[in-house]
Amino acid sequence: MDVIDYILRWGRSSLRFLTVAALCPCFLAASSCFAQASDKLAELLHAGADSLRSGQSAEALKYFTEASAMAPQVAEIKLDIALALRGEQKYPEEILALQSALKLNPSLRGANLFLGVAYYKLDEFAKAREALKRELKLTPRDAQVLMWLGVVDLAANDPESAVRYLDQAAELAPKDVDILYHRGRAHLLVSQVSYQKMYQSDPGSWRVHEVLAQAYATSDRQVDAIAEYKEAIQLAPAETGLHLELGDQYYAASQPENAEAEYLAEMKLDPNSVAALYKLGSLRVDRGNADKAIPLLEAVLAKEPNFAEAYYYLGRAQDATGEQAKAVLTLNRAIESKPSPDTLQRTYYQLSRVYRRLHRDDEAKLALSKFEELKQQSDTNQQKNLQDRMKRQERRNQELDGNGR
């Protein structure tokens, strides 16, 4: 969390304190000097807050320091000073300011969070964890606190502990991209540790080859993935799922004949495999063997009647075999079954072609218009996602540079 996040989420705590104090008669009676100086103090705090928002942390520090001299017992102003110091990347000084704030008010919200982050910036992970856990006691459902506990554990080479915190953070803030990024890293590291232990326990296991194949597949190294899947199958020829995964890699490597052979091999091991039936059926549609694909896809839909992608391929197959009336019904069923955005686009495009063959021009235009609308929306979203990824990466690079990592 940065300074602006703090301002937006929790507001100016020092200004809230000043407002409450000014409205409290007993406070004014006990501290007439504070009452007389309240206008000046408010002016300094407002100026400091404005400076923080505009990124002028050095200027904000001057205002808050002067304000703290006028009201040295106000913990919230010490926190403001810490935020300004954080903007200047003066982490040791920030820590001192936060400790002063917490000495005055141990329950000051946000202070332990920023203290934990400051310790993290200085690679003092044990102290960072202690401060963040204190904040978690005050705000047990704060996704940012949980995220930073996970980040600290990752830095301290404890990914299993990090996963627990980051999973909780993701439940509270399922669309926070920073939380999802760190959570993904944590799970990846935990997986790597598990795979290392597995290899040490039994380096000749077919599972080791399967894991290596999956890792190669994730990196688009199809040749290496294919070799590892073949090794796994040689060691465990009756294991279901391996031929299916090998077929996927052959398909990705533009070897459809080999992919089809592997899907058929999977079906011999598991005749009821919906995945094998669907992949073989869709592959045959793509290869122009629609008549051989139809019974496979119909079998899939008998088992999974809401399988939108299977309806799409069955509609294509019916169109290819001259059954346009059936294709219209099937493709519309695909749309009703809520397919993925990509399949929805393709379905509307295919539907427009079928309508044209049936000389239903108005319906063809409507389907094509819907396809173009979805495609434009998809292109816009992709561009926005790319820009967002670039901004996040730039922010992470700046954080790394600022922390000397």
Side-chain angles (χ1 to χ4, degrees), residues 246-278:
L246 178 55
D248 291 346
Q249 293 310 300
Y250 275 129
Y251 185 80
S254 300
Q255 300 181 40
E257 298 88 351
N258 289 333
E260 184 163 340
E262 294 303 323
Y263 293 149
L264 284 167
E266 183 70 25
M267 287 177 62
K268 288 181 181 179
L269 290 175
D270 185 4
N272 296 314
S273 171
V274 172
L277 286 166
Y278 166 71

Side-chain angles (χ1 to χ4, degrees), residues 44 58-71 77 80-81 84-85:
L44 290 169
E59 194 72 20
L61 182 59
K62 293 178 184 178
Y63 290 123
F64 291 140
T65 301
E66 187 177 348
S68 185
M70 294 179 64
I77 301 178
D80 289 335
I81 290 174
L85 288 165

Side-chain angles (χ1 to χ4, degrees), residues 219-349:
S219 303
D220 293 326
R221 294 171 58 179
Q222 278 81 34
V223 173
D224 294 322
I226 287 168
E228 292 297 337
Y229 277 125
K230 284 183 174 180
E231 288 286 345
I233 290 170
Q234 202 166 25
L235 292 169
E239 187 66 33
T240 59
L242 292 176
H243 286 285
L244 194 67
E245 293 178 281
L246 178 55
D248 291 346
Q249 293 310 300
Y250 275 129
Y251 185 80
S254 300
Q255 300 181 40
E257 298 88 351
N258 289 333
E260 184 163 340
E262 294 303 323
Y263 293 149
L264 284 167
E266 183 70 25
M267 287 177 62
K268 288 181 181 179
L269 290 175
D270 185 4
N272 296 314
S273 171
V274 172
L277 286 166
Y278 166 71
K279 290 185 176 184
L280 182 58
S282 59
L283 177 62
R284 285 179 172 174
V285 173
D286 287 337
R287 298 190 69 195
N289 296 323
D291 55 332
K292 294 182 178 179
I294 288 176
L296 296 171
L297 294 167
E298 288 176 339
V300 170
L301 290 167
K303 297 174 182 293
E304 298 286 347
N306 293 314
F307 197 155
E309 283 71 19
Y311 281 115
Y312 163 73
Y313 276 103
L314 179 58
R316 279 183 55 190
Q318 290 167 338
D319 179 32
T321 55
E323 298 181 287
Q324 277 74 38
K326 286 185 178 180
V328 167
L329 296 175
T330 302
L331 292 168
N332 275 301
R333 185 66 187 275
I335 294 168
E336 293 169 2
S337 300
K338 299 179 180 180
S340 67
D342 180 59
T343 301
L344 186 60
Q345 281 186 55
R346 292 188 293 164
T347 302
Y348 272 112
Y349 181 74

Side-chain angles (χ1 to χ4, degrees), residues 129-148:
R129 191 181 290 113
E130 290 174 6
L132 290 165
K133 285 186 175 180
R134 288 196 296 270
E135 186 72 29
L136 191 63
K137 287 182 180 180
L138 297 173
T139 55
R141 291 183 59 78
D142 191 311
Q144 287 295 314
V145 178
L146 289 164
M147 184 195 80
W148 276 106

Side-chain angles (χ1 to χ4, degrees), residues 30 33 62 73 75 107 136 153 184 195 198 274 291 317 327 354 395:
C33 292
K62 293 178 184 178
Q73 297 306 310
S107 299
L136 191 63
D153 283 340
Y195 296 154
M198 183 175 65
V274 172
D291 55 332
V354 175
R395 187 169 71 244

Side-chain angles (χ1 to χ4, degrees), residues 66 93 109 156 164 171 225 229 236 244 252 272 312 376 387:
E66 187 177 348
E93 293 90 337
R109 187 174 179 183
R164 291 193 290 272
E171 287 182 12
Y229 277 125
L244 194 67
N272 296 314
Y312 163 73
Q376 183 177 7
Q387 292 173 350

Side-chain angles (χ1 to χ4, degrees), residues 1 120-121 143-155 158-167 169-170 173 176-190 392-393 395-397 399-400 405:
M1 180 193 299
Y120 164 78
K121 298 288 186 179
Q144 287 295 314
V145 178
L146 289 164
M147 184 195 80
W148 276 106
L149 276 164
V151 169
V152 168
D153 283 340
L154 280 175
D158 190 355
E160 292 189 3
S161 177
V163 161
R164 291 193 290 272
Y165 289 121
L166 291 164
D167 281 347
D176 188 306
V177 292
D178 288 323
I179 291 173
L180 295 173
Y181 167 77
H182 293 299
R183 182 186 182 218
R185 283 185 57 225
H187 278 279
L188 180 61
L189 290 171
V190 169
R392 289 196 299 272
Q393 187 60 52
R395 187 169 71 244
R396 291 192 188 102
N397 291 340
E399 289 177 355
L400 291 172
R405 292 178 182 275

